[in-house]
Amino acid sequence: MLNGRESLIRLVGKRRRFLPNRQSLLSVPLNQLQESKEETDTIISYPEKDLVTCPVCAHKISGEHHAINSHLDACLSRETRTQTGTKRKLTQRTLLQSSFWSRSKTQASSCESEQLKNNLCGGGPDDSLVENASHELQDFGDAEEHDTDLQIQFHMDGGFENPINDDTTRLLSPKNVVSNGDMDVTFDNVSGVTLETFIVGRKFSDEKELDLGVRISLLRDPDNVKDHNAIKVVSADSGCCKVLGFLPRELAQYLSPLIEKYRLSFEGHVTSVPKNPLDFVPIQIVCHKMILHGEKEYEDVEAFKGLWKHAMHVVESTKNCPPSMTKYQQNFCLFIHEVLRSNPHLFTDDEKKFMESFTSLSNDSQRLFVRLYTRKGPWFRMSNISYSEVLDPQEAVKGLSATGYICSFEDKDEPHENEIKEILNLLTVSELHDILCKLKKKCNHARRKSDLLESLLLSYVDGLCPRVTSLVSDKTGTCIRISSKAESLIWRAERLFFLNGEQNLSTFLLVDLGIVKYPTYNCIISEQIFSGQDDLLAYEEAIEIAQLIDEALDGNNVELVLRCIKIADSHISSSSVKAMESSTSELVATFFSRFSASWVYSKVVSLGVSLLERERRYNDAINLLKQLLNFFTCDGRRGYWTLRLSINLEHIGYPNESLAVAEDGLQDPWVRAGSRMALQRRILRLGKPPRRWKTPSFSASIKRKITEVHVLGRPLNCEMGIKNRFYGEDGEQCGVEQLALQYYAGEGGGWQGVHTESGIWLTIFGLLMWDIIFSNVPNVFRTKFQTAPLDLETDSFYLVRKSCIESHLQKIHDGMAEEILITSWESHMGTACRGVNWDWHSLTELRAAVTCIGGPCLASLCRHLAQDYQSWSSGMPDLLLWRFHGEYRGEAKLVEVKGPRDRLSEQQRAWLLLLMDCGFNTEVCKVSPVPMSA
């Protein structure tokens, strides 16, 4: 796989079914991209109404602010270059008077006044950041154990119920809504408070039919085997107290201690009667404080306030998501609500109105949309749509069509070739045969489906058979798909919610099933990742380019790959990466920049470098590398880029320039780890007399000898390009690492150990540094589903937490590592954390490793990972070995295993030398086949 491809795949994540700018990107000639990198705005197509005329060159450009600014900079600089003697007389006033904006001056003035008013009065989008400055994010556990946990329950399956915590409603409710739970709670002022909730569990009711306004009261049911907090809803009109159902579990867990311990009682009435007697029944209940006769007032006021606040927020949450919703439907509504609440500045009024309209759809329409969105698609046959919870699919489709959430194939006047291809894929082989026969085409029943599809598609494209569309529609019946608008907006919402391409709505299901448990941390937000919609749209377009190049590599479409590389390169050259880095604080820019369009384009160009090198197009690769190094001055990838530039210059016969690049690279603070060592080795090789006469100061360190051990084994295969296999001492087949473990366990010295590479070290680091990783740092935790802070792989991780890290490392140095490890293991077992693998290593193995390694070595290793996790989280030695000397003392050894014809990579060599500096016992074990004579 090309270097950088795996990282790009993770960035893209699940491929989008609809790319808004695909056609415009594919229609721009390559020579146009090559001639003028500055005019990148022409690459993306925009609706005609959003285009404006440039007063300099008279070309049509996008009306977006960032597009106008970029175009004007390029246009004016070009005019300056071409005008000899005099500059074009365009002042700032001239440009401001030009017709750049698609909205009227009145509208613009109104919007600006409104924005100023919001800023002065505190009504702007940043209010939510201050108001919700610290959300406590806990694992999805039991709410009684973690009363302050933020538990947003996203259910994708109907068989699980988890409590909704109080902070959930605060997080997901509009900021201008004040609930009863926000008042100053006392024992006296809760009396008379009205709550709106529901009667659930109607199948257990003694009274199947209910009348509007019937009086009710609440009665505890502590003997309930399903829920010890259960509260029965009983009829207050009859003396026999017939059970009408129960309160929702989420509310009962907080009201039950209020009823039992604090002597509160609740009475009310039915406010609405559903058509189905088993459906949820809306009720209104009023709180009453019972008179205490000579009993002491309860002193635990804080506990009372906490329970009441929890109950009020649960009541508020059910207003947005009533219990009649299926759990995956409720999750989706909460998901949309949270995105719009947290990022109102990133959606236009039309987009917000469109997404908010989802909650006004019928239950069937909402459920059907979520079901279809999570399926592969893109087209679905109505005849194949059948979900038990969607009672009337036809009516559901009508509702979704009316609001623009789905479209049908019948609405297409002239379907595009790709749409016909997608529809044809819905047909079975027999249906394809029938259509071909009706078209009087030769159809051999032994032909594969792919052949039949190709034949029909050619008939449609050539226009020889105009009946293809109608015949296909007759076979498929009504076909529907998610509309492009809905697809784009929901995809954007997922990106904003998860901030990566690897997580999606299925993440909620993993949490609900208990498969994934996320850690506890505080979310302190003081700065927005995307300052405005322009930044977000540019980021989305860059993701499109990344997906296009990924698809092109899969299809071996070299022309499209080169087009994507040129587009990305042109965007980088016209962007203001340097301006961004200088205007934003360095620590914030380090990890915020990863959500910029420039960052995505740099990954595309970096991947393009690997492709061009594979094609031996070194000159093109050199130009791209120079571009990357010129524009990304504070980037951990500079070491790799500098190394590749030096190597490629040598490839084309420029050893002096190659040496100069390597020497300059060593002066760059962003060139680290394996890349730095590789450059040092290149300097020693290329810098011999007469090019260089002085020996570099690092020569002695680089030339240090690493202990080598040679092991003989009976080979099963030693073919080039195939992983080496040997017969172990027990006669079983094994790899070189297992063979080395057997050697060290026997004649090698009685060592115990594991083949782990980086795994065990990252697990030890995660467990030892758990409290540091999830400490309270602003802006690094922004979602509920993070396994590490956003700045873990940046320099800011160590710099921001330096005092805490050094204090913690001192404890590790002083011998407390095993105690910290055990405590962390027992407290967080099974919780997801970057680098920690709970299944690969037992606590016994980890304790043995930590004890034998010793505090000083562990502290030094953890310090290096904290300072530069990105550089040092790979390339660690294959084997970790240990042996005890007595009960509490031991020694450890790290071994890199190499088979026949294998050699150390620069990263592996850098790790071994670093470990030697930290005090570790390291060596290289070379496995060789037994000589034939033996």
Side-chain angles (χ1 to χ4, degrees):
M1 182 179 287
L2 292 173
N3 189 288
R5 176 79 189 279
E6 186 176 349
S7 174
L8 188 83
I9 291 173
R10 289 197 303 270
L11 174 67
V12 172
K14 181 182 177 182
R15 291 178 180 174
R16 299 173 66 180
R17 289 175 285 201
F18 170 75
L19 296 179
N21 299 298
R22 178 190 291 269
Q23 295 304 319
S24 57
L25 291 170
L26 299 181
S27 62
V28 179
L30 284 175
N31 56 0
Q32 184 175 342
L33 291 173
Q34 191 169 8
E35 288 172 2
S36 178
K37 291 182 178 179
E38 290 104 345
E39 295 185 24
T40 53
D41 299 288
T42 58
I43 297 173
I44 309 298
S45 66
Y46 297 90
E48 186 65 30
K49 63 179 181 181
D50 292 333
L51 294 179
V52 295
T53 302
C54 172
V56 182
C57 64
H59 287 162
K60 292 285 187 179
I61 59 174
S62 166
E64 298 293 336
H65 294 203
H66 76 284
I68 292 175
N69 292 336
S70 299
H71 180 85
L72 270 181
D73 289 341
C75 221
L76 290 174
S77 62
R78 184 172 59 252
E79 288 292 329
T80 301
R81 292 194 302 266
T82 55
Q83 299 282 341
T84 57
T86 59
K87 293 184 178 180
R88 185 149 184 155
K89 302 275 185 190
L90 279 174
T91 63
Q92 192 175 38
R93 179 179 179 84
T94 311
L95 294 176
L96 288 174
Q97 290 175 346
S98 302
S99 179
F100 273 112
W101 317 112
S102 56
R103 58 181 177 176
S104 66
K105 291 183 180 180
T106 304
Q107 290 174 315
S109 176
S110 175
C111 291
E112 290 168 2
S113 300
E114 185 65 27
Q115 183 179 0
L116 179 61
K117 178 182 176 182
N118 288 338
N119 290 338
L120 293 174
C121 301
D126 290 337
D127 270 8
S128 59
L129 301 180
V130 178
E131 181 179 316
N132 297 312
S134 178
H135 304 310
E136 184 162 351
L137 298 157
Q138 302 280 358
D139 56 51
F140 289 73
D142 184 44
E144 291 183 352
E145 295 178 6
H146 306 288
D147 287 343
T148 59
D149 292 355
L150 176 60
Q151 299 180 5
I152 299 179
Q153 305 303 327
F154 287 97
H155 304 278
M156 296 296 289
D157 183 75
F160 292 84
E161 286 192 30
N162 287 324
I164 299 180
N165 196 277
D166 69 305
D167 286 335
T168 302
T169 308
R170 176 168 59 85
L171 181 65
L172 298 180
S173 60
K175 62 182 179 182
N176 57 346
V177 175
V178 180
S179 69
N180 293 331
D182 294 326
M183 65 183 180
D184 186 17
V185 179
T186 66
F187 289 109
D188 295 323
N189 64 12
V190 299
S191 182
V193 173
T194 300
L195 311 180
E196 294 181 356
T197 182
F198 300 85
I199 302 177
V200 300
R202 289 281 293 146
K203 63 182 178 181
F204 304 107
S205 171
D206 297 330
E207 195 76 41
K208 300 303 179 186
E209 298 294 334
L210 289 179
D211 296 325
L212 182 66
V214 64
R215 293 174 57 245
I216 58 172
S217 61
L218 304 186
L219 184 65
R220 278 284 287 118
D221 186 14
D223 298 326
N224 191 303
V225 295
K226 297 290 186 181
D227 180 12
H228 66 276
N229 289 317
I231 297 177
K232 293 187 290 188
V233 180
V234 298
S235 172
D237 288 335
S238 60
C240 57
C241 293
K242 291 184 178 181
V243 177
L244 305 181
F246 295 83
L247 279 191
R249 182 191 301 263
E250 296 83 3
L251 181 59
Q253 66 175 325
Y254 303 120
L255 290 189
S256 58
L258 290 173
I259 293 173
E260 289 185 337
K261 184 177 180 181
Y262 298 99
R263 307 291 188 181
L264 297 185
S265 65
F266 295 86
E267 294 180 349
H269 63 278
V270 174
T271 58
S272 178
V273 180
K275 294 180 181 179
N276 188 336
L278 296 182
D279 281 349
F280 301 106
V281 179
I283 60 173
Q284 192 176 82
I285 55 176
V286 180
C287 175
H288 300 285
K289 181 186 177 185
M290 297 182 66
I291 304 299
L292 301 176
H293 299 286
E295 296 185 29
K296 184 179 178 181
E297 284 283 352
Y298 291 100
E299 298 178 355
D300 195 359
V301 178
E302 292 303 318
F304 174 82
K305 289 182 177 180
L307 289 169
W308 183 260
K309 183 179 178 182
H310 281 66
M312 293 303 100
H313 280 295
V314 171
V315 170
E316 288 293 327
S317 69
T318 57
K319 292 180 180 180
N320 291 323
C321 301
S324 59
M325 287 186 176
T326 58
K327 290 186 177 179
Y328 68 81
Q329 175 190 1
Q330 178 181 345
N331 296 336
F332 194 84
C333 289
L334 290 175
F335 155 70
I336 295 297
H337 184 82
E338 162 66 0
V339 170
L340 291 177
R341 187 203 65 82
S342 302
N343 307 279
H345 63 297
L346 299 180
F347 296 89
T348 64
D349 291 340
D350 178 64
E351 291 169 342
K352 284 187 281 190
K353 184 178 179 181
F354 177 81
M355 295 180 70
E356 288 167 351
S357 69
F358 184 82
T359 57
S360 64
L361 293 170
S362 67
N363 282 335
D364 278 353
S365 294
Q366 291 184 14
R367 294 166 187 171
L368 181 60
F369 179 82
V370 179
R371 286 287 194 176
L372 295 183
Y373 183 79
T374 53
R375 285 177 59 180
K376 184 178 179 180
W379 290 96
F380 307 94
R381 298 173 74 165
M382 279 297 298
S383 57
N384 292 340
I385 294 177
S386 177
Y387 299 107
S388 58
E389 70 272 23
V390 180
L391 303 180
D392 193 341
Q394 298 293 340
E395 286 299 317
V397 168
K398 287 182 181 179
L400 290 170
S401 298
T403 51
Y405 276 90
I406 66 169
C407 57
S408 64
F409 183 67
E410 288 74 11
D411 297 335
K412 303 284 184 180
D413 295 330
E414 294 184 6
H416 190 267
E417 177 185 343
N418 287 336
E419 292 175 325
I420 287 291
K421 185 177 181 180
E422 292 165 350
I423 290 291
L424 289 175
N425 272 310
L426 298 176
L427 298 172
T428 63
V429 173
S430 60
E431 289 172 331
L432 292 171
H433 273 294
D434 291 343
I435 294 176
L436 285 171
C437 291
K438 289 180 180 179
L439 294 174
K440 298 181 180 180
K441 295 278 186 180
K442 294 181 180 179
C443 49
N444 184 354
H445 286 276
R447 292 170 66 181
R448 296 174 300 175
K449 183 176 182 178
S450 59
D451 298 330
L452 299 173
L453 288 173
E454 184 179 358
S455 178
L456 274 175
L457 192 60
L458 286 174
S459 300
Y460 176 79
V461 173
D462 295 339
L464 301 177
C465 302
R467 298 173 53 209
V468 169
T469 304
S470 59
L471 291 174
V472 170
S473 297
D474 292 341
K475 286 291 182 183
T476 60
T478 302
C479 291
I480 60 174
R481 65 167 295 168
I482 304 293
S483 68
S484 58
K485 183 176 183 179
E487 181 92 23
S488 297
L489 290 177
I490 302 302
W491 179 88
R492 180 188 300 175
E494 283 187 304
R495 279 283 169 164
L496 292 172
F497 193 87
F498 295 109
L499 295 177
N500 62 68
E502 299 179 86
Q503 293 175 305
N504 51 43
L505 294 176
S506 63
T507 304
F508 309 141
L509 177 61
L510 298 177
V511 171
D512 293 330
L513 295 178
I515 298 174
V516 179
K517 179 182 178 184
Y518 286 92
T520 300
Y521 48 77
N522 291 331
C523 188
I524 306 171
I525 302 176
S526 62
E527 295 189 47
Q528 290 281 8
I529 290 181
F530 298 101
S531 59
Q533 193 180 40
D534 290 350
D535 293 337
L536 177 60
L537 292 177
Y539 178 73
E540 289 183 7
E541 291 170 6
I543 295 291
E544 286 191 45
I545 298 296
Q547 178 173 330
L548 282 174
I549 194 173
D550 187 37
E551 293 174 352
L553 287 171
D554 280 348
N556 199 26
N557 187 341
V558 179
E559 181 182 355
L560 181 55
V561 170
L562 295 176
R563 179 185 297 275
C564 292
I565 295 170
K566 288 183 179 295
I567 292 173
D569 183 34
S570 63
H571 273 280
I572 290 175
S573 65
S574 63
S575 66
S576 54
V577 179
K578 290 183 178 180
M580 179 195 68
E581 291 178 348
S582 61
S583 62
T584 311
S585 63
E586 184 176 349
L587 295 180
V588 175
T590 305
F591 61 90
F592 271 26
S593 64
R594 301 191 177 199
F595 299 98
S596 66
S598 299
W599 171 267
V600 179
Y601 288 130
S602 71
K603 297 184 83 67
V604 173
V605 173
S606 190
L607 177 62
V609 169
S610 299
L611 176 71
L612 293 171
E613 289 176 341
R614 190 181 68 180
E615 301 293 325
R616 300 183 183 275
R617 298 174 57 174
Y618 298 118
N619 284 309
D620 292 334
I622 288 171
N623 291 332
L624 292 180
L625 288 167
K626 287 180 178 179
Q627 182 89 315
L628 291 170
L629 289 167
N630 183 41
F631 281 91
F632 296 92
T633 57
C634 300
D635 198 297
R637 298 168 293 175
R638 287 182 62 83
Y640 171 75
W641 295 337
T642 303
L643 177 61
R644 296 314 308 174
L645 178 58
S646 177
I647 292 173
N648 291 335
L649 285 170
E650 187 180 10
H651 281 319
I652 62 174
Y654 290 91
N656 292 326
E657 288 77 2
S658 175
L659 176 58
V661 166
E663 290 174 332
D664 290 341
L666 293 187
Q667 307 304 314
D668 190 338
W670 292 93
V671 177
R672 303 165 179 173
S675 297
R676 187 172 191 82
M677 178 159 292
L679 289 175
Q680 289 173 336
R681 288 165 61 83
R682 288 187 63 78
I683 291 173
L684 292 178
R685 181 174 62 83
L686 295 174
K688 296 177 181 178
R691 289 199 186 98
R692 301 290 186 272
W693 294 96
K694 183 179 178 180
T695 302
S697 58
F698 54 78
S699 176
S701 174
I702 292 298
K703 291 181 178 180
R704 281 181 294 171
K705 294 294 183 183
I706 302 173
T707 305
E708 292 186 0
V709 173
H710 295 269
V711 176
L712 297 179
R714 291 184 298 146
L716 176 65
N717 71 301
C718 287
E719 299 178 22
M720 186 70 72
I722 299 177
K723 188 174 178 63
N724 296 310
R725 303 289 295 174
F726 287 82
Y727 290 104
E729 295 182 4
D730 54 2
E732 297 293 329
Q733 297 181 19
C734 63
V736 291
E737 295 86 4
Q738 286 72 31
L739 187 64
L741 281 173
Q742 293 175 9
Y743 164 78
Y744 283 106
E747 61 181 290
W751 296 87
Q752 301 178 59
V754 290
H755 171 214
T756 175
E757 298 180 2
S758 302
I760 195 169
W761 297 109
L762 298 185
T763 296
I764 290 174
F765 175 80
L767 292 174
L768 292 180
M769 307 292 287
W770 191 285
D771 292 340
I772 302 295
I773 293 173
F774 297 104
S775 59
N776 294 335
V777 175
N779 298 310
V780 298
F781 291 108
R782 310 182 72 92
T783 78
K784 299 83 186 168
F785 303 100
Q786 289 181 227
T787 58
L790 293 177
D791 66 342
L792 177 62
E793 296 185 357
T794 68
D795 289 9
S796 70
F797 178 80
Y798 177 79
L799 296 175
V800 170
R801 307 165 179 82
K802 184 175 181 179
S803 59
C804 296
I805 290 176
E806 289 301 330
S807 174
H808 195 70
L809 291 179
Q810 187 61 46
K811 295 178 182 178
I812 295 174
H813 183 279
D814 294 341
M816 295 181 62
E818 186 177 6
E819 180 183 344
I820 297 172
L821 181 81
I822 295 172
T823 302
S824 186
W825 179 281
E826 293 176 348
S827 301
H828 309 295
M829 175 64 181
T831 303
C833 173
R834 180 85 56 82
V836 176
N837 193 309
W838 299 98
D839 300 324
W840 284 3
H841 309 290
S842 65
L843 179 59
T844 302
E845 289 178 340
L846 296 175
R847 289 181 62 186
V850 166
T851 301
C852 293
I853 291 170
C857 289
L858 269 179
S860 180
L861 178 69
C862 289
R863 180 176 291 105
H864 278 88
L865 284 171
Q867 290 174 339
D868 194 357
Y869 191 90
Q870 183 179 24
S871 297
W872 294 112
S873 57
S874 62
M876 299 182 185
D878 294 311
L879 307 183
L880 171 59
L881 308 174
W882 64 84
R883 59 185 176 188
F884 283 94
H885 304 303
E887 189 174 355
Y888 301 107
R889 292 178 58 253
E891 61 176 322
K893 178 184 290 189
L894 286 81
V895 181
E896 181 66 40
V897 184
K898 290 298 173 185
R901 296 182 299 275
D902 288 344
R903 64 178 183 178
L904 291 173
S905 69
E906 298 298 346
Q907 180 73 2
Q908 291 168 342
R909 186 179 297 276
W911 252 118
L912 290 171
L913 294 180
L914 173 68
L915 292 169
M916 290 167 61
D917 294 337
C918 293
F920 283 89
N921 180 9
T922 63
E923 63 186 35
V924 176
C925 177
K926 293 189 174 181
V927 179
S928 304
V930 177
M932 297 298 294
S933 57

